[in-house]
Amino acid sequence: MSLVATFIRRLGKRHPLATFFHLFFRVSAIITYLFCDWFSNSFVACFVTILLLLSFDFWSVKNVTGRLLVGLRWWNQIDEDGKSHWVFEAERVPTIAASTEAEARIFWLGLIICPVIWTVFFFSTLFSLKLKWLALVIAGISLQTANLYGYIHCKLGGRKGASRVTSKVFVTADAAKRKY
């Protein structure tokens, strides 16, 4: 890990650890999927390991690397009526100031290429009739595509969503203060 972090630091990155983990969990899940049968005969162990790597990737990209590398984040908020609202936010500061252009490229390439790879795995699993792996591949596609979808929405219209959420949060906070 320190060798990769040193390499990334030499490239002039501001967030070498975030850049590393943005790719680490994604690539680890793909490599584990490809070579798991060689190292383990246990389908359950392979399934759980890959699913954990995919989950770690989903969480880290959604909550950490997107914010640090490109200044974007998204989440789901449930209002008082129980309605679900998706919030897509972009920082008002240009993302180049928060990170380098190379980090942004790494972020977007990793975000786009990995769902394509999992889609290829889907068709290869389907055509080779390895149906026990199909649930795992669908989970991979779902998690990777959800992050891609969220960040595309952030990139295209995050400022409008951020201002709506900010005003709602401040109004709710003022109402709560007035009660007490």
Side-chain angles (χ1 to χ4, degrees):
M1 181 171 133
S2 62
L3 180 65
V4 174
T6 305
F7 174 73
I8 291 172
R9 220 178 267 125
R10 285 186 184 166
L11 291 175
K13 308 279 186 257
R14 290 193 56 184
H15 305 288
L17 206 55
T19 306
F20 172 75
F21 280 109
H22 177 69
L23 297 175
F24 175 74
F25 292 125
R26 292 173 173 267
V27 172
S28 296
I30 291 170
I31 290 173
T32 304
Y33 176 78
L34 289 173
F35 300 114
C36 198
D37 283 341
W38 290 5
F39 299 109
S40 175
N41 291 332
S42 172
F43 170 74
V44 173
C46 292
F47 189 93
V48 169
T49 301
I50 296 166
L51 197 58
L52 282 173
L53 288 169
L54 287 168
S55 300
F56 291 154
D57 170 63
F58 179 81
W59 182 87
S60 67
V61 170
K62 182 182 167 303
N63 294 317
V64 179
T65 63
R67 184 176 45 84
L68 291 176
L69 300 180
V70 292
L72 303 172
R73 64 183 181 158
W74 63 274
W75 67 91
N76 185 359
Q77 182 174 341
I78 309 231
D79 63 8
E80 294 171 0
D81 300 331
K83 292 182 183 176
S84 176
H85 299 281
W86 289 96
V87 181
F88 305 100
E89 183 177 277
E91 282 185 0
R92 293 179 187 200
V93 178
T95 58
I96 299 301
S99 66
T100 66
E101 190 174 320
E103 285 177 332
R105 281 190 188 138
I106 289 170
F107 177 82
W108 286 107
L109 283 174
L111 205 63
I112 293 168
I113 290 172
C114 289
V116 171
I117 292 171
W118 283 103
T119 303
V120 169
F121 289 163
F122 173 79
F123 288 112
S124 69
T125 302
L126 196 60
F127 293 136
S128 65
L129 297 176
K130 293 182 178 179
L131 300 180
K132 66 181 183 180
W133 291 99
L134 202 56
L136 179 66
V137 173
I138 290 171
I141 291 170
S142 300
L143 291 170
Q144 302 277 323
T145 306
N147 265 332
L148 179 61
Y149 176 80
Y151 282 111
I152 287 174
H153 272 282
C154 289
K155 185 76 172 167
L156 296 178
R159 292 172 198 232
K160 182 172 60 173
S163 64
R164 261 188 282 135
V165 170
T166 306
S167 65
K168 285 183 183 178
V169 168
F170 288 129
V171 168
T172 307
D174 284 343
K177 285 180 185 177
R178 289 179 193 155
K179 280 184 179 178
Y180 299 105

